[in-house]
Amino acid sequence: PLALSEGKRLIGDTFIYQQDNARPHAARNSQMWCKQHFPDFIDSKRWPPNSPDLNILDYYVWNAVGQLMRWDKVQNYQSLQQEIKRAIRLVPATEVASSIDSWSRRILQVLKTKGAYIK
């Protein structure tokens, strides 16, 4: 639900959502929930190879969140969750959109490197 609400806030009502290969994300219930709730969803059968270069969460969002977090405020699990949520709200939507726009270029770079990481 957080990914859905933040996706709508940052990108609008029409976006494509893709999870990573974490076991909970590949679970049947998780896949069904995403198919039912996201405007468009790339299911686990259509995921690209496990590459952080092809996942916006890996190549942009988590780094931005980490930079915006007030790490000195993290004292326990609850404060970590609160700080992550606060930092996510601060990620500029324009930068998320720019990162999404670079996705096609990233795919071509990964193809050129035959699946190796890109710089």
Side-chain angles (χ1 to χ4, degrees):
L2 180 62
L4 179 60
S5 65
E6 286 302 301
K8 287 181 177 183
R9 181 182 71 81
L10 291 167
I11 304 166
D13 288 331
T14 57
F15 65 95
I16 301 170
Y17 185 71
Q18 174 189 325
Q19 296 170 301
D20 61 18
N21 249 346
R23 278 190 176 177
H25 298 167
R28 183 178 29 196
N29 287 346
S30 176
Q31 292 284 299
M32 285 183 359
W33 188 93
C34 289
K35 284 179 189 176
Q36 292 170 354
H37 291 89
F38 283 97
D40 199 359
F41 174 65
I42 299 175
D43 65 34
S44 61
K45 293 176 184 149
R46 298 186 301 146
W47 286 345
N50 189 15
S51 170
D53 292 319
L54 297 177
N55 186 328
I56 186 172
L57 286 174
D58 290 331
Y59 70 78
Y60 174 72
V61 174
W62 286 125
N63 181 60
V65 169
Q67 296 291 323
L68 293 166
M69 285 181 64
R70 300 175 301 188
W71 290 97
D72 59 314
K73 303 284 185 188
V74 176
Q75 303 298 317
N76 54 39
Y77 183 69
Q78 183 179 10
S79 62
L80 174 63
Q81 284 183 313
Q82 291 170 343
E83 196 54 30
I84 289 171
K85 289 177 183 179
R86 186 196 67 79
I88 286 172
R89 286 190 297 272
L90 297 175
V91 174
T94 54
E95 290 185 23
V96 172
S98 177
S99 294
I100 292 168
D101 289 343
S102 74
W103 195 73
S104 297
R105 189 172 58 253
R106 296 178 82 82
I107 288 176
L108 293 174
Q109 289 174 320
V110 169
L111 288 172
K112 285 180 186 176
T113 64
K114 297 186 171 138
Y117 291 110
I118 60 176
K119 295 179 182 180

